[in-house]
Amino acid sequence: MTSLFMGLKIGPVPCPGLRRTLTLLLSAISLAQPIIAAAATADDYARADRIRSFDNRRIGGAIFPHWLPDGRSFYYRSFADDEQPGTIFLVDPAKVSKRALFTLAGLATALSKASRTNVDHDQLPAWRLTDASTVVARVGAEEYRCVVATMVCRATPSPVGESVPQWAVRSPDGKWDAFVWNYNLYVRPSDAAQGDGTSYRAALSDSDGNYAFPMSGDSEDIASFRPTGQRGNCDWRAPAGPVVTAEPDYMPPPAGAIALTQDGSRLYSYGPRWKLGAEHATLDADRYRPTRASMTWSPDSSKLLVRREDLRGVGVYPLYSSTSDQPVDHSYFYAAPGADHIPQYDLFVVDVAARSAVKMDVPPTGTVLAPGGAQWTQDSQRLHILSSNRGPTKIMFSAVEAATGQAKPLIVETSKTYVEMGNGGRQTIVAVSPTGKDIIWFSERDGWGHLYLYGADGKLRNQIDKGANSVAELIRVDFARKLIYFTAMGRAAGNPYDRHLYRVGFDGRGLTALTPEDGDHGIAFAPDGSYFLDRHQSITTPPVTTARAPDGRALIELSRGHDTALRAIGWRPAETFSVKARDGKTDLYGVMYKPSDFDPAKHYPIVVNIYPGPFMGSVGANWTFQGGDNIGPREQSKPRVTHGEGMSQSLAELGFIVIKLNSLGTAQRSKTMQDYFYGNAIDNGLPDQIAAIRQLAKRYAWIDADRAGITGHSGGGFAAAAGLLTHPEAFKVGVAQAGNHDFRTYGWYWGEQYMGPLKTQADRVRYAQQANASYAANLKGKLMLVHGDMDCNNPPAQTLRLVDALTNAGKDFDLLMVPEAGHQLPSYVMRRSWDYFVTNLAGQPAPTNYPVTEPGY
């Protein structure tokens, strides 16, 4: 803040009365000025670093169940500080039973002794419980079976039928294992001899999804499609070079293999082979490795439905690493809006006995963000297939004859913008009874996300739920009792983003709330339907997991979270708030972070941490406990320290108020709200963020709206840069990480869904108007652009096109290109972001070369 007396020289004052008057005047003016927050110190940085890298799993309350074959009992690993971390617990809620089985340290010791190798308990090989008494694990080429009671392990092959090779999908009758080899589909008898080094998974997993969307058989080794070519995961560093260019050595398929197809090719493979990319030789090196594919068996084990991935004609994006002695090519298949060819798949039914393949007569479906799936009818004669066009503006649900591929459309859902089969597109919400007589369908046709009941003929019977609220997830369908269990947002009083569990009949009657407590409820039903796990939490309250009967009665509390360890390192809970949108009518909700040494007498700059939508908002997919702001703990996960997570609370510690606000244009409420800036992505919800800053500054004297900054990652990086370029009067400082600044060079699946088609000259003009580069001349504040040069989600071209425009406009800005970094960025970027706001928004010196840690679990 500029002093009122800047440049004013006050000399000697001879008159005592005048001197006293002037002294009182100066004192009054001094008292009227707010106290500016002090400079961030190395101690502040250290506290921020501890908080943002804190492992939220230590809090407890969140468990990750692994179901046993009985479909009722399960085991889980404890991470909680106060619950014997590293211990495996066995739970049977029906018996109100929970007991410790063993520790991972004990298992590692037993495996080390049996294998005569050093097995680290922090990096255990894959293991699982087959029942309450036996652990199966693999060390090197040997499989070991360990007795839980004694923790003695012996090298013992798995009994035939108990386990399935990791590369295979077993038939329901247990006789066949299906897999892809050299781009084609194969089967072999399940009792055939296994080769050395074969690893296994539980046979149970192949029957879990036979009546569910998407197709069963999808697994971690094929995962969901990422348009990243040879890059296995765009988030992380690229594989080290050099790229092997030799033709791979031939390796025969597993013993007993029978070819069901022979026309598979590198760019049109059965399966598919997910590592399709432009590093052709490295790709080909995998062609002779048997692979578990995206397929599902018919109930009678006579046929297979398999996806056939089509990358023919798809363009190649150049990407290369520059840190080796020679640059390493990491180019990959990628399609931008308007591309003639996109990654998509066809569906084929393959008859095992006849060894013939029939293409299903449904349009090919895009492999990214496009609802799709398939399910066999109980008699194995027909399939129900979900397909979608580009956009998607149309989703079609068809009954298809397996023998001929002939399709009969039953339900067609259309939209002038885009169709989602779940609010925010996070889940494909559709369920079909094994007989095909009852179809549960999700639609936003009335402006909200609700469930509808259709018959086998595709005729609507009735709408199941109604109102100004939206279904979040379809949890369980009891077709025998005609009951549906689902979570919904906005139906209960309070925060409209909190999920609550409900039960309702197919006819819409008997709607019952099963989790009435305030807060968010994450639900997982036991496979046998005898109970469900309820993970209950809020932004400020750690999670508690309770097993509940289907009517909502509590059976046993399994884990309760405590924030003691967080508070011990200086953390304080975030706070929720609400403001009005730009229209002055719509209630918007957000989360506010303050420094742990917050002083209401001080005056703090405010920073917006933004993610503009449309598939979720800035706060995240769910309004769960923030902890160290590293949201969404998983059982096996790497910390995501610069993907939005970790930034808010850590930045607040350095003397800022940080907010996350779900603006207009975000999902999980009404369809109208989500569509708000369809075709006008440059809006980014920024007018709502500005309205929130002004309302909060009026509400709280300690917020300085004249010192406002903005930051974000990915879509948030696009929005952060747009904040400075389209609203230079509001935002003074911005850090834009890994932004998709121009939809014309981004993935077709995103641009066409949220911006519409790119076909005509008018479309091209409209797309250009949404690119940040078009507004480069408007830059007035301080902007730092950050990108990883190995990012194959948002290619580096996204940021470099904006750099080119800013350079041509003669603008001052800062650029940090991080070698070898993917879409996730290293902790160094976090520290540089802190420095940028401390120096340019707070106007204070930042600690020099502060050594932030690279967190790891």
Side-chain angles (χ1 to χ4, degrees):
M1 180 176 291
T2 304
S3 170
L4 296 175
F5 290 89
M6 185 174 289
L8 175 63
K9 295 181 179 180
I10 302 177
V13 182
C15 174
L18 180 59
R19 184 183 301 114
R20 180 173 179 272
T21 300
L22 184 56
T23 300
L24 290 174
L25 176 61
L26 289 171
S27 298
I29 292 174
S30 178
L31 290 172
Q33 295 188 73
I35 303 171
I36 302 299
T41 66
D43 287 342
D44 296 325
Y45 269 54
R47 186 173 63 256
D49 200 26
R50 287 194 299 270
I51 290 173
R52 63 100 194 180
S53 59
F54 182 85
D55 183 352
N56 276 350
R57 297 176 299 182
R58 293 176 51 194
I59 296 166
I63 66 174
F64 309 95
H66 297 267
W67 309 103
L68 289 176
D70 63 11
R72 184 188 71 247
S73 53
F74 66 90
Y75 62 95
Y76 75 94
R77 172 188 175 181
S78 171
F79 294 92
D81 287 345
D82 62 351
E83 194 184 31
Q84 306 172 56
T87 298
I88 303 302
F89 287 91
L90 179 68
V91 179
D92 188 340
K95 298 179 180 179
V96 195
S97 169
K98 170 186 169 183
R99 61 187 176 94
L101 286 184
F102 58 88
T103 66
L104 295 183
L107 177 59
T109 299
L111 288 172
S112 297
K113 183 178 180 180
S115 65
R116 298 181 180 181
T117 60
N118 182 24
V119 178
D120 185 348
H121 75 276
D122 283 331
Q123 296 181 341
L124 276 171
W127 66 271
R128 58 185 170 84
L129 278 170
T130 59
D131 52 40
S133 62
T134 307
V135 176
V136 176
R138 171 165 292 277
V139 180
E142 295 284 350
E143 184 166 285
Y144 292 83
R145 303 176 75 80
C146 308
V147 178
V148 169
T150 61
M151 201 46 70
V152 173
C153 303
R154 290 185 174 86
T156 308
S158 293
V160 173
E162 179 179 299
S163 298
V164 181
Q166 284 288 357
W167 41 262
V169 179
R170 182 152 294 171
S171 60
D173 63 9
K175 295 180 179 180
W176 296 100
D177 284 341
F179 59 96
V180 170
W181 180 85
N182 196 23
Y183 313 129
N184 281 291
L185 184 64
Y186 282 73
V187 293
R188 57 167 242 159
S190 60
D191 59 359
Q194 304 290 355
D196 293 339
T198 301
S199 58
Y200 302 88
R201 69 179 190 283
L204 173 70
S205 61
D206 276 351
S207 62
D208 287 348
N210 206 40
Y211 294 113
F213 291 86
M215 293 167 57
S216 65
D218 286 354
S219 62
E220 289 185 1
D221 52 325
I222 56 173
S224 58
F225 181 81
R226 295 186 177 95
T228 57
Q230 179 58 25
R231 298 291 312 281
N233 190 326
C234 274
D235 278 346
W236 308 109
R237 294 171 65 94
V243 176
V244 177
T245 58
E247 176 70 15
D249 293 333
Y250 174 83
M251 295 178 61
I258 301 170
L260 299 183
T261 67
Q262 297 183 357
D263 59 342
S265 62
R266 187 175 64 88
L267 298 185
Y268 196 31
S269 172
Y270 292 95
R273 300 306 300 260
W274 283 103
K275 288 189 175 182
L276 291 171
E279 293 179 271
H280 297 166
T282 303
L283 168 86
D284 290 342
D286 284 336
R287 67 189 289 187
Y288 299 127
R289 178 176 58 86
T291 305
R292 184 182 182 189
S294 184
M295 63 179 75
T296 185
W297 283 94
S298 61
D300 67 0
S301 302
S302 68
K303 294 178 281 293
L304 278 158
L305 177 72
V306 61
R307 267 168 51 164
R308 190 174 183 185
E309 204 75 15
D310 190 355
L311 293 185
R312 296 171 298 180
V314 176
V316 174
Y317 264 34
L319 195 69
Y320 65 89
S321 165
S322 303
T323 59
S324 303
D325 291 342
Q326 296 294 324
V328 177
D329 182 14
H330 290 290
S331 302
Y332 59 102
F333 290 107
Y334 200 73
D340 292 334
H341 301 279
I342 63 171
Q344 59 190 10
Y345 63 85
D346 293 310
L347 294 174
F348 285 78
V349 166
V350 181
D351 188 296
V352 175
R355 301 182 190 179
S356 60
V358 176
K359 183 177 178 294
M360 300 296 97
D361 187 22
V362 295
T365 295
T367 53
V368 188
L369 294 185
Q375 175 180 302
W376 287 96
T377 56
Q378 210 167 35
D379 61 8
S380 300
Q381 300 302 305
R382 288 169 297 281
L383 296 122
H384 289 107
I385 296 178
L386 190 72
S387 58
S388 50
N389 68 348
R390 291 172 67 161
T393 57
K394 181 171 73 172
I395 295 178
M396 185 167 60
F397 182 79
S398 304
V400 185
E401 295 296 325
T404 65
Q406 184 176 359
K408 176 184 177 182
L410 298 179
I411 305 172
V412 178
E413 192 82 23
T414 61
S415 173
K416 292 181 179 179
T417 57
Y418 51 89
V419 182
E420 289 183 331
M421 291 303 298
N423 194 325
R426 291 185 298 158
Q427 183 193 48
T428 298
I429 301 179
V430 56
V432 187
S433 64
T435 62
K437 292 181 179 179
D438 296 306
I439 304 167
I440 309 300
W441 184 259
F442 175 92
S443 174
E444 294 179 308
R445 65 188 63 166
D446 71 353
W448 299 87
H450 292 305
L451 301 176
Y452 296 80
L453 178 66
Y454 281 84
D457 56 3
K459 292 183 178 179
L460 177 65
R461 292 182 187 168
N462 58 270
Q463 183 170 346
I464 296 170
D465 71 305
K466 300 177 182 180
N469 55 80
S470 186
V471 170
E473 301 134 325
L474 186 61
I475 301 297
R476 179 178 175 82
V477 180
D478 186 336
F479 286 105
R481 299 176 61 200
K482 296 191 180 299
L483 292 174
I484 300 170
Y485 296 84
F486 67 97
T487 56
M489 298 170 290
R491 181 173 287 278
N495 190 323
Y497 294 97
D498 286 341
R499 295 169 297 170
H500 291 265
L501 180 66
Y502 298 88
R503 183 185 63 211
V504 67
F506 281 17
D507 58 5
R509 297 178 182 178
L511 182 68
T512 304
L514 302 177
T515 53
E517 304 90 347
D518 289 344
D520 181 76
H521 296 264
I523 307 297
F525 246 94
D528 73 350
S530 62
Y531 66 91
F532 63 87
L533 300 180
D534 173 17
R535 185 189 296 182
H536 176 213
Q537 59 191 311
S538 71
I539 292 291
T540 59
T541 308
V544 178
T545 295
T546 304
R548 297 180 180 271
D551 62 4
R553 289 178 295 110
L555 299 174
I556 180 174
E557 183 179 295
L558 298 172
S559 184
R560 178 173 290 271
H562 300 282
D563 58 16
T564 307
L566 265 171
R567 291 184 182 275
I569 61 174
W571 166 90
R572 64 178 294 155
E575 303 172 13
T576 57
F577 66 88
S578 64
V579 293
K580 295 294 183 183
R582 70 189 84 178
D583 60 11
K585 299 177 182 179
T586 306
D587 290 323
L588 301 179
Y589 297 81
V591 179
M592 178 186 295
Y593 304 80
K594 300 176 183 176
S596 56
D597 60 356
F598 173 75
D599 182 350
K602 293 182 179 179
H603 215 42
Y604 294 91
I606 185 169
V607 177
V608 171
N609 189 353
I610 189 170
Y611 193 86
F615 76 98
M616 68 177 187
S618 298
V619 179
N622 298 309
W623 286 51
T624 52
F625 182 65
Q626 300 289 286
D629 192 31
N630 194 344
I631 304 169
R634 298 174 178 86
E635 184 173 28
Q636 302 292 337
S637 63
K638 296 180 180 180
R640 305 172 71 182
V641 295
T642 53
H643 195 197
E645 296 90 343
M647 175 64 81
S648 297
Q649 187 60 52
S650 63
L651 184 58
E653 291 301 318
L654 307 182
F656 300 91
I657 301 300
V658 180
I659 64 169
K660 292 180 179 178
L661 178 77
N662 282 10
S663 65
L664 299 180
T666 57
Q668 301 171 312
R669 291 172 68 180
S670 70
K671 174 65 171 170
T672 300
M673 182 171 175
Q674 187 182 8
D675 281 352
Y676 195 84
F677 51 78
Y678 173 80
N680 184 31
I682 196 68
D683 178 281
N684 281 299
L686 291 166
D688 299 314
Q689 305 288 346
I690 296 169
I693 292 173
R694 291 171 179 168
Q695 291 172 62
L696 292 172
K698 187 175 181 180
R699 190 179 304 172
Y700 304 115
W702 32 265
I703 291 179
D704 185 356
D706 292 329
R707 291 188 296 162
I710 187 168
T711 186
H713 183 277
S714 193
F718 167 52
L724 269 75
L725 298 174
T726 63
H727 298 277
E729 77 292 346
F731 297 105
K732 304 301 188 292
V733 179
V735 175
Q737 299 180 4
N740 53 320
H741 300 287
D742 191 333
F743 285 72
R744 293 170 294 182
T745 59
Y746 190 45
W748 66 273
Y749 50 88
W750 190 273
E752 292 185 9
Q753 177 160 333
Y754 300 126
M755 277 291 299
L758 179 54
K759 297 179 179 179
T760 67
Q761 179 59 30
D763 293 336
R764 285 187 279 275
V765 170
R766 179 167 50 84
Y767 265 75
Q769 291 172 341
Q770 313 309 311
N772 274 333
S774 298
Y775 305 92
N778 294 345
L779 180 64
K780 296 180 180 178
K782 298 287 292 184
L783 173 62
M784 180 167 75
L785 301 171
V786 186
H787 219 109
D789 73 347
M790 287 289 100
D791 188 345
C792 46
N793 181 331
N794 287 351
Q798 293 281 327
T799 287
L800 292 175
R801 292 189 79 173
L802 178 55
V803 166
D804 183 52
L806 291 168
T807 302
N808 293 335
K811 295 296 180 178
D812 294 333
F813 63 97
D814 294 283
L815 171 66
L816 174 60
M817 292 295 292
V818 187
E820 301 300 329
H823 199 48
Q824 301 296 333
L825 296 164
S827 293
Y828 174 77
V829 171
M830 177 70 76
R831 195 265 293 173
R832 289 292 303 274
S833 301
W834 293 345
D835 292 349
Y836 206 74
F837 285 112
V838 167
T839 302
N840 296 297
L841 192 60
Q844 304 287 350
T848 303
N849 298 324
Y850 184 85
V852 292
T853 58
E854 197 70 54
Y857 296 164

